[in-house]
Amino acid sequence: MLSRRPQATIDLTALEHNFTRVKQLAPNSKVLAVLKANAYGHGMLAVAQALKQADALGVARLDEALTLRAGGIAKPIVLLEGFFHPDELAQIVASNLQLVIHHREQAEALLAAALDAPVRVWLKIDTGMHRLGIYPDEFNELYQRLSQSCNVQGPLRLMSHFASSDELDKPATARQLALFQQITQGRAGEHSLANSGAVLNWPPSHADWVRPGLMLYGVSPMAEAVGCEHGLKPVMTLSSSVIAVREVKAGDAVGYGGSWIAAHNTRLAVVAMGYGDGYPRAAGNNADVLINGKRLPIVGRVSMDMITVDIGSEAVAVGDKVILWGNDLPVEQLARCVDTIPYELLCNITSRVQFNYLHTAGAVL
Ligand SMILES: *Cc1c(COP(=O)(O)O)cnc(C)c1O
């Protein structure tokens, strides 16, 4: 039996479904599945093990890549921000990791290093996001020198990252793509640009490798959409239990600061879920949960360990399951209610939450 602790149930069948959806949308591209930040809060190793068909995995930092290797993951792994210090290069070679090179200092350090074996390099060009990436006017020189270096394996891979691929009405993505094509024209090497927004919205950007993150987890990157509109299935269900049911009278103030006052006599369910579990505090007086299939409002502030839900005359009892997000309550909707993005909500789940992995429909392993 599942305990009454907060639970994150990770449906790996849904994950595989979403991967298949990526392949349908980008049939001619290889897939670099993005697993940074503990696979967007879903558990990096379990996700890596389930994504058997991914061509490569992407992480942000060396420690994340080493966790995957220590867990027995043998697939190509790309460090999306490259190395932070040249001291890391020996470990990168020893662990057979691939590198993004995104600025001149990094390129110079790689060129100057004495490596035991060459590394695979993805040269990242800034085409308009202005965060990471070499400047367009540095491309020819760095491409030449890196291509000729004995520290670099095979043809360079060429990449860029979109700032606004989730926004269909902006010209930025088409401009970035055009600049990328212009800069890289005639150069050998596979191309990669597309994050989830571009996989969904910008087929001309799919190129040799797509790099989906959020959509693999069944969630839409677009502000007004939810994953199922793109044929995706949410991978995470966040749930907990009712730990008390109580009556309140008209005029009673509930929770810290008494921020909600009952307008009439009603009943409250107290649920074991709070900001200490990663549930957003901004949801107080501002979002719904599902209890026994019914959408019911959170009233009063979210505290560290608990929320209070106005259940009126609904038949709710101690021990009943409460869904905070999942299939019938998209995390995208909660993100809109609390003025953030689903990426942040997923990443914020804390280690206090118990993770369960569903491998085939219904079976908890
Ligand atoms: C995080 C990241 C992605 C994935 O982005 P999503 O919007 O989650 O699909 C792709 N490429 C790079 C370089 C990233 O850092």
Side-chain angles (χ1 to χ4, degrees):
M1 200 195 85
L2 297 181
S3 77
R4 289 183 179 172
R5 263 172 75 186
Q7 311 277 328
T9 305
I10 307 299
D11 182 350
L12 297 171
T13 316
L15 181 76
E16 286 163 25
H17 166 90
N18 298 331
F19 183 88
T20 304
R21 187 77 189 112
V22 170
K23 291 298 286 183
Q24 282 172 355
L25 289 162
N28 302 315
S29 306
K30 288 181 270 190
V31 180
L32 189 166
V34 179
L35 268 59
K36 61 197 180 194
N38 196 29
Y40 294 45
H42 291 68
M44 193 166 53
L45 259 182
V47 168
Q49 283 158 358
L51 287 175
K52 291 193 174 55
Q53 298 177 64
D55 299 284
L57 307 175
V59 296
R61 305 200 180 139
L62 179 57
D63 62 306
E64 296 174 332
L66 296 179
T67 300
L68 289 174
R69 285 286 183 254
I73 303 298
K75 265 190 205 306
I77 299 176
V78 182
L79 293 171
L80 294 170
E81 292 155 30
F83 57 92
F84 291 5
H85 191 278
D87 285 354
E88 296 169 356
L89 279 166
Q91 179 99 67
I92 286 166
V93 171
S95 303
N96 190 24
L97 306 176
Q98 305 187 8
L99 277 180
V100 168
I101 293 290
H102 57 75
H103 71 161
R104 175 174 288 277
E105 289 77 358
Q106 233 180 7
E108 298 293 354
L110 176 63
L111 290 163
L115 303 186
D116 292 338
V119 288
R120 169 73 68 192
V121 170
W122 301 61
L123 182 58
K124 181 168 185 171
I125 308 163
D126 174 20
T127 55
M129 177 141 177
H130 303 140
R131 190 183 59 182
L132 292 183
I134 62 165
Y135 302 114
D137 64 9
E138 295 176 311
F139 176 76
N140 284 335
E141 177 215 333
L142 291 176
Y143 179 91
Q144 291 284 356
R145 291 172 61 209
L146 286 166
S147 296
Q148 287 159 9
S149 167
C150 56
N151 286 339
V152 176
Q153 189 188 104
L156 289 174
R157 293 188 178 151
L158 306 175
M159 66 181 281
S160 192
H161 194 55
F162 291 129
S164 307
S165 64
D166 54 328
E167 294 175 274
L168 292 165
D169 49 349
K170 283 199 179 163
T173 302
R175 257 189 232 143
Q176 285 193 257
L177 178 58
L179 180 57
F180 182 83
Q181 285 166 341
Q182 183 198 321
I183 294 167
T184 59
Q185 198 168 28
R187 300 292 194 173
E190 294 176 332
H191 293 179
S192 177
L193 299 107
N195 55 1
S196 295
V199 171
L200 292 165
N201 302 320
W202 305 92
S205 75
H206 290 172
D208 300 294
W209 288 84
V210 292
R211 304 192 308 267
L214 192 68
M215 70 182 293
L216 290 174
Y217 309 102
V219 178
S220 174
M222 269 103 86
E224 299 303 325
V226 295
C228 65
E229 292 168 41
H230 315 303
L232 302 169
K233 295 184 183 171
V235 174
M236 184 191 292
T237 300
L238 184 67
S239 65
S240 191
S241 307
V242 175
I243 58 169
V245 172
R246 60 185 302 119
E247 293 177 3
V248 291
K249 297 209 160 39
D252 284 353
V254 172
Y256 285 119
S259 71
W260 184 79
I261 296 171
H264 44 77
N265 295 353
T266 188
R267 291 156 68 240
L268 298 183
V270 183
V271 179
M273 175 65 71
Y275 61 79
D277 302 297
Y279 191 75
R281 188 169 173 277
N285 292 317
N286 199 20
D288 295 335
V289 301
L290 278 182
I291 307 181
N292 303 330
K294 266 252 166 200
R295 265 184 109 115
L296 298 165
I298 297 175
V299 295
R301 287 189 191 157
V302 171
S303 24
M304 189 181 291
D305 316 301
M306 282 172 274
I307 54 175
T308 39
V309 177
D310 183 1
I311 56 173
S313 57
E314 294 296 328
V316 171
V318 169
D320 282 0
K321 185 171 174 180
V322 181
I323 308 280
L324 288 305
W325 66 64
N327 255 320
D328 298 316
L329 194 64
V331 68
E332 294 94 324
Q333 280 177 14
L334 176 62
R336 282 195 280 282
C337 286
V338 303
D339 198 20
T340 185
I341 52 175
Y343 297 80
E344 187 183 33
L345 294 178
L346 294 170
C347 287
N348 275 354
I349 296 301
T350 69
S351 57
R352 232 171 46 150
V353 173
Q354 182 181 329
F355 277 68
N356 310 297
Y357 291 90
L358 300 180
H359 292 259
T360 51
V364 180
L365 294 189

